[in-house]
Amino acid sequence: MPLQVYLDGRWYPKNEAKISVFDHGLLYGDGVFEGIRSYGGLIFKLKEHLNRLWESAHTLMLEIPMTQTEMQKAILETLKRNKLLDAYIRVVVTRGVGDLGLDPAKCLRPTIFIITDKIVLYPESLYANGLEMITVPTVRNLPEAVNPSIKSLNYLNNILAKIEAKNSGCMEALMLNHQGYVAECTGDNIFMVKNEDGAARPRLLTPPVYLGALKGITRQAIIEIAARKQIPFEERILTRHDLFNADEVFLTGTAAEIIPVVKLDGRLIGKGKPGPWTGILRKEFRNLTRKEGVHYTL
Ligand code: PMP
């Protein structure tokens, strides 16, 4: 049976789930989205994802014409119809169908769709051996222009960075902000681990989101794991120099989960292979996803 897609209150086979060419999500990238995961019938951090979706929409003055409870129901039903216990869930809310002008007031009703599918992760070898990254010339959107905390359909900033990384033979890009400080990657937040003072435990560092990053839900889960495991953690302004000289670097995101980075701009990071703390945090994160979440059955 073809994949069933939720679109404005109904389910359609994948090839029949269609939206108008006048939809401002398509014409202008005017809309918001979320990427969510379920693991063995548990939707991870669903409430957090829905809150972020609603917050992004609120900033855009886009009123989502359903409640979070109704959205949750629609997600669960889409998962069931597709018989998916382990899934990637994409929720999209666009401004809706309007005319060819920008004015969102001309769009009468937002378009909502939900796609649930199997997830395509990075190849397993990258988790085992680590990723090589490059810093790209495209800087992250200015928070005063299009705030990266808004998870909007306008991902061109990230796509340009992705193109530049791939042109250089890398799968992921480090994005700096306009001041040259580390912001995040094209679809992931970034962390580093460094033993700065010969302590028994190293320090876990990540840039503050106000420098130009999405407030990642995986990022927050890692921060909470670090607190539980008594790993010292700090949000700190970071430069490329800090990353080059880190003991370990890893990325976090719903799709990628936790992926080690072993090379940046030609510099080996640490010993040039995934480090032990990345491994510990990966394992803890994995355990969390298998025991916490909104439960459903098929
Ligand atoms: N930064 C960007 C630009 C992203 O698109 C994502 C993934 N949605 C993330 C970071 C990671 O966020 P999360 O952990 O909530 O998936």
Side-chain angles (χ1 to χ4, degrees):
M1 202 178 65
L3 203 72
Q4 299 291 303
V5 175
Y6 171 96
L7 173 60
D8 291 333
R10 290 181 54 191
W11 284 266
Y12 299 86
K14 182 178 169 176
N15 292 339
E16 290 166 35
K18 293 179 178 164
I19 63 163
S20 163
V21 292
F22 288 94
D23 193 300
H24 280 209
L26 177 64
L27 286 176
Y28 298 116
D30 185 357
V32 293
F33 77 102
E34 274 301 320
I36 313 169
R37 286 281 286 274
S38 76
Y39 297 90
L42 286 172
I43 308 181
F44 188 62
K45 303 277 184 198
L46 178 59
K47 184 86 197 144
E48 287 79 353
H49 282 284
L50 293 183
N51 283 343
R52 188 169 66 184
L53 184 73
W54 256 257
E55 286 191 1
S56 293
H58 183 65
T59 295
L60 302 188
M61 297 187 79
L62 168 56
E63 197 166 329
I64 302 176
M66 58 166 38
T67 63
Q68 289 199 10
T69 309
E70 288 165 341
M71 177 71 85
Q72 175 169 328
K73 263 197 195 153
I75 292 171
L76 292 176
E77 181 61 25
T78 312
L79 287 164
K80 282 184 191 187
R81 286 182 186 229
N82 290 299
K83 299 189 173 47
L84 288 166
L85 285 175
D86 293 277
Y88 179 81
I89 304 154
R90 172 61 59 90
V91 181
V92 181
V93 183
T94 80
R95 187 74 66 179
V97 175
D99 64 16
L100 289 178
L102 284 180
D103 188 0
K106 301 269 181 65
C107 305
L108 294 183
R109 198 188 150 81
T111 305
I112 301 178
F113 57 90
I114 303 167
I115 306 168
T116 56
D117 206 349
K118 295 258 175 247
I119 179 76
V120 188
L121 286 173
Y122 287 118
E124 194 46 47
S125 62
L126 283 184
Y127 290 89
N129 304 322
L131 189 71
E132 176 176 356
M133 279 209 308
I134 188 157
T135 309
V136 294
T138 295
V139 299
R140 193 74 180 95
N141 279 334
L142 276 169
E144 297 81 1
V146 181
N147 194 323
S149 288
I150 305 167
K151 199 162 167 60
S152 84
L153 291 181
N154 212 308
Y155 252 52
L156 260 192
N157 183 232
N158 316 55
I159 289 166
L160 287 172
K162 187 83 167 179
I163 289 169
E164 288 158 359
K166 294 200 81 174
N167 281 347
S168 302
C170 288
M171 291 179 70
E172 190 44 281
L174 176 67
M175 300 187 77
L176 307 177
N177 75 356
H178 63 291
Q179 299 161 305
Y181 296 125
V182 173
E184 61 176 338
C185 299
T186 65
D188 296 308
N189 292 110
I190 188 160
F191 282 84
M192 63 171 268
V193 176
K194 188 165 169 93
N195 194 325
E196 295 182 305
D197 41 23
R201 283 168 172 246
R203 193 170 291 273
L204 182 66
L205 301 165
T206 195
V209 288
Y210 63 75
L211 288 187
L214 182 75
K215 194 164 184 208
I217 286 159
T218 319
R219 175 186 185 275
Q220 186 57 32
I222 290 296
I223 293 170
E224 287 166 16
I225 289 170
R228 268 205 307 282
K229 292 263 129 195
Q230 296 178 325
I231 302 169
F233 165 75
E234 201 183 303
E235 278 189 349
R236 192 189 285 174
I237 296 173
L238 299 173
T239 62
R240 286 164 72 226
H241 174 76
D242 295 319
L243 295 180
F244 293 153
N245 292 290
D247 297 330
E248 302 178 27
V249 170
F250 61 87
L251 312 182
T252 63
T254 297
E257 301 178 313
I258 287 99
I259 185 154
V261 179
V262 292
K263 208 177 199 187
L264 173 64
D265 300 331
R267 280 79 157 181
L268 280 188
I269 292 169
K271 297 190 167 63
K273 53 183 195 196
W277 291 95
T278 307
I280 289 167
L281 290 166
R282 254 192 95 192
K283 194 164 140 255
E284 290 294 325
F285 179 77
R286 198 188 143 83
N287 290 344
L288 193 65
T289 58
R290 268 66 179 176
K291 72 171 196 252
E292 251 189 26
V294 173
H295 178 67
Y296 64 97
T297 49
L298 296 182

